[in-house]
Amino acid sequence: MEHVQIWGSFLTAAALIIFAGVKLTTYGDILSERLNLGHAFIGAVLIGWSTSLPELVLSIGTAVYSNAPNITMGNVVGSNLFNIFIIVILDVIYRQGAVLRSVDSRVRLSTILSLIMVCIVGTCLYFNLSQKINISSVDLGFSKLGYDSIVIFAMYVVCMIALFRSDQEQQHTGEKKYSNVSLSTLALKCLFVIGIIVATGLWLSVIAKNINHVYKLDEGFVGSFFLAIVSSLPEVMTCFIAVRMGFNNMAIGTLFGSNIFNMGIIAVCDVFYGEHLFKQFDSSHYIGIVFVVILTFVTLGTLKFKQGKKAYFIGVESMAIAVLYVLAMYTIYDSSWLKMIFGS
């Protein structure tokens, strides 16, 4: 009975997040027209931020209230991995060719910035665990904020400015479809959908703790697999609908905008956590970060070199992403094969 209750709750939360993701796609298109912003920017910033709220709420909940910081790190890194894997799903449903080869240069910028963010987080993790450099923290009274988190905050701001300036250099033309839509009404609808995402995110933090308790799984794996997939469902549905509507820039921009925000989540959690958060993580998260970097490079290579046709029902790059994602999940669950090859 306990198993039925856990998975029933899991599926209900997933359904709520799917509903919110579908609504966000339409709202994103309206915002793009009314605010005269490109789909790539709307996806990377506004929708990417909104669809990443489950990761934010889950991460704060698991790190602070459940005192499970490794689930937090596993959640955000696993979400980044799954977000890139979503490209494979989009490639299957996109019939006009490989979906990555249909987007413009503005999407490439968000991909590069997400790569920079994950490299910064990986570097901070390395320095904290290797103890080669003792990164100090600032006492905020209620918490200790590491200087590494301050760097992540600053880089996130730089990313948002870069994306905005890149979007302003583009001319946005086209038919006006939503000129009669009130921005105030749209804002209320957006807040309602965001409220659903936040409430469901809080609920999922409790479900994750129950899954960990019943099935006795490793915290990092629970975060990287179960939480990452469910909290990324808004991205799945938003991007699915966006591609079906022909908004490929919005779809891919959302994925990598979400990846940028996910890395900033760690710094936000550091504010609320009592101690320096990076010092609580273990070395198993290196695996996920390395795979995120590899998968992002595969995506960048495809965005830069658009030659070639779709192989079978998906592109060659999507095949590579799928294989690497499965390998990443297996390695996070059981890294013994790495120890046999490279040693402990």
Side-chain angles (χ1 to χ4, degrees), residues 224-246:
S224 297
F225 187 73
F226 289 108
L227 281 187
I229 290 177
V230 173
S231 60
S232 292
L233 281 174
E235 285 92 340
V236 174
M237 292 311 301
T238 301
C239 295
F240 177 86
I241 300 299
V243 167
R244 298 293 289 182
M245 295 173 67

Side-chain angles (χ1 to χ4, degrees), residues 16-17 19-20 191-201:
L16 286 171
I17 285 180
F19 166 79
L191 288 174
F192 175 72
V193 171
I194 290 171
I196 292 175
I197 294 174
V198 172
T200 308

Side-chain angles (χ1 to χ4, degrees), residues 13 22 44 48 70 103 113 132 137 145 163 178 200 248-250 271:
V22 171
N70 281 300
V103 298
L113 293 174
K132 291 184 178 180
S137 56
L145 179 64
L163 288 170
Y178 307 110
T200 308
N248 292 1
N249 283 341
M250 182 189 294
V271 174

Side-chain angles (χ1 to χ4, degrees), residues 59 81 203 226 262:
S59 298
L81 285 169
W203 188 21
F226 289 108
N262 286 346

Side-chain angles (χ1 to χ4, degrees), residues 82-267:
F82 187 72
N83 282 350
I84 300 175
F85 176 74
I86 292 172
I87 293 170
V88 179
I89 301 172
L90 300 179
D91 214 13
V92 172
I93 66 171
Y94 186 63
R95 300 299 183 186
Q96 285 73 45
V99 68
L100 276 178
R101 305 179 195 194
S102 65
V103 298
D104 61 34
S105 60
R106 286 171 290 176
V107 176
R108 188 163 176 258
L109 175 62
S110 63
T111 309
I112 292 171
L113 293 174
S114 73
L115 177 63
I116 293 172
M117 284 291 286
V118 76
C119 286
I120 290 174
V121 170
T123 302
C124 293
L125 180 64
Y126 172 77
F127 283 145
N128 277 287
L129 293 182
S130 67
Q131 297 183 343
K132 291 184 178 180
I133 296 179
N134 185 21
I135 299 178
S136 57
S137 56
V138 179
D139 192 349
L140 300 177
F142 64 94
S143 180
K144 292 182 179 179
L145 179 64
Y147 283 104
D148 38 25
S149 294
I150 294 174
V151 171
I152 293 170
F153 271 127
M155 187 60 209
Y156 180 79
V157 173
V158 170
C159 289
M160 295 302 100
I161 293 172
L163 288 170
F164 181 75
R165 293 189 65 177
S166 173
D167 188 78
Q168 294 304 296
E169 293 173 359
Q170 305 291 326
Q171 295 294 323
H172 308 298
T173 59
E175 180 186 355
K176 300 296 182 181
K177 301 177 291 183
Y178 307 110
S179 56
N180 61 336
V181 176
S182 168
L183 282 177
S184 58
T185 302
L186 181 62
L188 289 174
K189 289 181 178 180
C190 288
L191 288 174
F192 175 72
V193 171
I194 290 171
I196 292 175
I197 294 174
V198 172
T200 308
L202 287 170
W203 188 21
L204 279 169
S205 68
V206 177
I207 296 171
K209 191 175 181 180
N210 291 337
I211 290 173
N212 189 40
H213 174 73
V214 172
Y215 294 97
K216 308 297 182 184
L217 296 173
D218 176 73
E219 285 187 351
F221 181 72
V222 169
S224 297
F225 187 73
F226 289 108
L227 281 187
I229 290 177
V230 173
S231 60
S232 292
L233 281 174
E235 285 92 340
V236 174
M237 292 311 301
T238 301
C239 295
F240 177 86
I241 300 299
V243 167
R244 298 293 289 182
M245 295 173 67
F247 305 149
N248 292 1
N249 283 341
M250 182 189 294
I252 305 301
T254 295
L255 296 178
F256 288 99
S258 177
N259 280 9
I260 295 171
F261 186 81
N262 286 346
M263 293 296 95
I265 285 173
I266 301 172

